[in-house]
Amino acid sequence: MNKHLTTVAGVAVDTRHWIGGERVASTDTFPDASPIDGSVLADIARGTATEADAAVAAAKAAFPGWAATSRVERARILHAIADGVEKRIEELAIVETTDNGALLRSHRRGVMPRVAHNFRFFADWLLKLEHGDFETRGHSNHVSWDPAGPCVLITPWNAPLMLATWKVAPALAAGNTVVLKPAEWSPLTASLLADIAAEAGLPAGVLNVVQGYGSEIGDALTSHPDVRRISFTGSVPTARRIAASAAANLTPLSLELGGKSPLLVFADADLDLAVDLAVEQYDNAGQVCLAATRFLVEESVAEEFTRRFVDRTMGLRQGDPRDEATDIGPNIHPGQLEKIDGFVRRALAAGARAVIGGHPEDGQYYAPTLLTDVAQDSEIVQEEVFGPVLTLQTFTDEEEAIRLANDTRFGLAATLATGDPERAERVTARLVAGTVWVNCFFVRDLQAPFGGSRLSGVGREGGTWSFDFYCDVKNTVTAPNGWTNHG
């Protein structure tokens, strides 16, 4: 029996790194536990600078061949990876749910199909990627996207495989090689992705997966002189550390960070729709960077909105995420649960009122919470909690709504509920956010730019924006009639 294999819900997962097309063990391991019941799922290979160097070396060695591979062939292999994902959706879904606690029904119906779509979209976009040639004083200009080199991709635990492939797919499509480091709290599906990619025919060394702690293997990756791009999704403090690490080599960064996004509800909104949007913010137990965690509700409808919201929330079912009837699962880790509860306890001590929730449940579950009577400059309004904790404030007019909405250090997203299209146009134009949803939430298209303002991030990804980041964009200028006839 292979001691490096663990079985999760009947699915075999290799716990070693994937470097240069081979499984590589480490001297030490770290435990990976399920948030559902706290049980240890596996002891995962704990990488250090040694594995980081090996993975970057493998990516560097594989880069010339992959960069020289035609667009058509790269796209074919990416589609083959998508095929492999689709064949294993059920396996990927149950492993991911067991590993990070998100709803199994969501993984089956939405998240894992989206993983396959990530590969298909960027494969197809690659084949149509172009910038029309143009002339300057009779000279022709031709824009091209050249592969940059080895890329380090560091991904979070709240949507592990979907967010990993959102980076992996465009990086590979662009002709780069990749070192993927998944979050240590949810590493298992990244290992399965390595198997799927190899089965699809991706050459050895083009995709490498290494596991471990940020302070050990992460720092070694982000400071490596042979790395040409770093993409990170996670917290602001970790991003600062990565940026400092990358600074010596001036390695370009793409950072998708935290949010403290508002949901603005005007009196002219469809209140049933507004409540639907509000309840959606408990998705994934509140562990969503885009979540509109600050409700800003026009004073004249605040009482009715709150009543309807509470009625709806009380009907949500919290429990085992593998159960189809469950609406809210556990939070990822005991440390995260304690962090969430600390935010709430401090808010309550400062005078906030818990309309619902305000306390942990058994295990790693936190009661869906809504806090009112919160000050605009309070910690609970200004800092990202990343749990099922929402606040509600009121406003009297449009100007105050915009002021409150923009009054944080973040600017990732905003959601607006109104029945007035002219108001929607005025307000959205003034909101500081990378994405604004009007009378909807979480409608996403990979053609659109995605990223944040202020402390919510640096750069944009999606469509051509992804290729702009993962490539060295070149302009070639050719003189007219400048060719020498050697014939």
Side-chain angles (χ1 to χ4, degrees):
M1 183 177 178
N2 188 339
K3 67 178 183 179
H4 299 294
L5 287 180
T6 189
T7 301
V8 178
V11 181
V13 184
D14 202 305
T15 61
R16 294 172 292 180
H17 314 285
W18 178 256
I19 299 174
E22 297 180 350
R23 289 293 175 181
V24 176
S26 289
T27 303
D28 294 325
T29 62
F30 64 92
D32 176 36
S34 174
I36 298 173
D37 56 12
S39 62
V40 174
L41 300 173
D43 290 317
I44 307 296
R46 181 174 171 175
T48 62
T50 299
E51 289 81 6
D53 288 344
V56 173
K60 183 179 180 181
F63 173 67
W66 183 243
T69 301
S70 71
R71 286 188 179 191
V72 171
E73 178 62 9
R74 272 186 258 151
R76 185 194 67 77
I77 292 176
L78 263 61
H79 275 291
I81 295 173
D83 292 341
V85 169
E86 288 175 346
K87 289 176 183 175
R88 301 186 68 177
I89 278 179
E90 184 62 28
E91 294 180 7
L92 293 167
I94 189 60
V95 170
E96 190 103 298
T97 289
T98 307
D99 201 18
N100 90 324
L103 299 185
L104 180 57
R105 72 182 192 217
S106 296
H107 281 142
R108 282 173 170 157
R109 299 169 193 170
V111 177
M112 294 310 162
R114 171 65 184 273
V115 168
H117 176 66
N118 285 344
F119 285 103
R120 296 201 192 282
F121 173 87
F122 285 106
D124 293 341
W125 200 267
L126 169 66
L127 296 181
K128 62 184 180 182
L129 181 67
E130 65 174 350
H131 184 296
D133 291 353
F134 56 98
E135 287 194 2
T136 305
R137 298 189 300 278
H139 295 64
S140 68
N141 292 260
H142 176 73
V143 176
S144 58
W145 286 261
D146 293 351
C151 301
V152 165
L153 312 179
I154 302 175
T155 54
W157 45 259
N158 59 322
L161 193 57
M162 194 276 285
L163 292 178
T165 56
W166 191 3
K167 300 176 186 295
V168 170
L172 294 181
N176 298 318
T177 51
V178 164
V179 179
L180 170 64
K181 195 203 90 65
E184 57 266 29
W185 287 350
S186 56
L188 298 181
T189 50
S191 180
L192 293 176
L193 176 64
D195 294 335
I196 292 169
E199 291 165 6
L202 190 70
V206 174
L207 171 65
N208 306 275
V209 179
V210 292
Q211 300 138 162
Y213 297 117
S215 59
E216 297 174 353
I217 194 168
D219 286 350
L221 288 171
T222 56
S223 63
H224 202 291
D226 290 333
V227 171
R228 295 291 175 259
R229 295 290 187 274
I230 298 170
S231 181
F232 169 72
T233 297
S235 70
V236 172
T238 302
R240 288 193 172 112
R241 181 170 179 168
I242 289 171
S245 182
N249 301 309
L250 293 180
T251 309
L253 297 170
S254 175
L255 303 174
E256 196 269 281
L257 309 177
K260 197 67 181 177
S261 303
L263 166 61
L264 293 82
V265 179
F266 286 90
D268 57 19
D270 177 335
L271 274 193
D272 286 333
L273 171 64
V275 169
D276 287 343
L277 298 175
V279 173
E280 280 190 66
Q281 310 313 313
Y282 287 131
D283 182 48
N284 201 17
Q287 300 169 137
V288 178
C289 59
L290 291 163
T293 56
R294 296 183 295 132
F295 297 168
L296 304 176
V297 185
E298 193 161 356
E299 196 171 68
S300 61
V301 295
E303 184 176 346
E304 179 63 15
F305 171 88
T306 303
R307 184 188 67 78
R308 295 191 197 184
F309 174 80
V310 170
D311 286 347
R312 284 285 308 282
T313 301
M314 296 303 287
L316 297 176
R317 178 173 175 178
Q318 189 168 32
D320 192 322
R322 296 166 296 191
D323 187 333
E324 281 279 321
T326 297
D327 299 303
I328 302 178
N331 291 96
I332 184 75
H333 189 271
Q336 182 66 16
L337 190 78
E338 184 163 339
K339 177 184 173 184
I340 293 166
D341 193 44
F343 271 110
V344 174
R345 284 187 283 106
R346 290 190 296 273
L348 294 174
R353 180 173 67 92
V355 179
I356 51 171
H359 55 83
E361 302 283 6
D362 293 336
Q364 286 174 214
Y365 295 80
Y366 202 87
T369 297
L370 177 66
L371 301 177
T372 60
D373 300 335
V374 291
Q376 178 62 23
D377 61 355
S378 64
E379 178 193 54
I380 198 67
V381 170
Q382 293 294 328
E383 300 297 330
E384 185 177 47
V385 177
F386 223 61
V389 177
L390 311 172
T391 61
L392 188 148
Q393 299 165 271
T394 62
F395 62 85
T396 56
D397 57 29
E398 197 173 289
E399 195 65 28
E400 185 181 18
I402 295 168
R403 179 181 62 78
L404 293 173
N406 288 337
D407 186 20
T408 75
R409 300 179 301 153
F410 298 99
L412 188 57
T415 304
L416 173 63
T418 178
D420 183 346
E422 293 181 356
R423 165 174 280 152
E425 185 174 353
R426 287 193 306 270
V427 173
T428 56
R430 296 178 60 192
L431 292 175
V432 178
T435 300
V436 180
W437 287 288
V438 179
N439 293 328
C440 60
F441 177 66
F442 220 63
V443 178
R444 300 286 304 281
D445 193 311
L446 287 176
Q447 297 180 74
F450 179 79
S453 304
R454 297 176 175 167
L455 290 189
S456 287
V458 175
R460 295 292 183 270
E461 295 186 43
T464 302
W465 290 275
S466 286
F467 288 94
D468 288 345
F469 173 69
Y470 287 111
C471 291
D472 292 323
V473 183
K474 178 192 294 178
N475 186 44
T476 301
V477 185
T478 303
N481 304 318
W483 305 110
T484 301
N485 187 349
H486 295 287

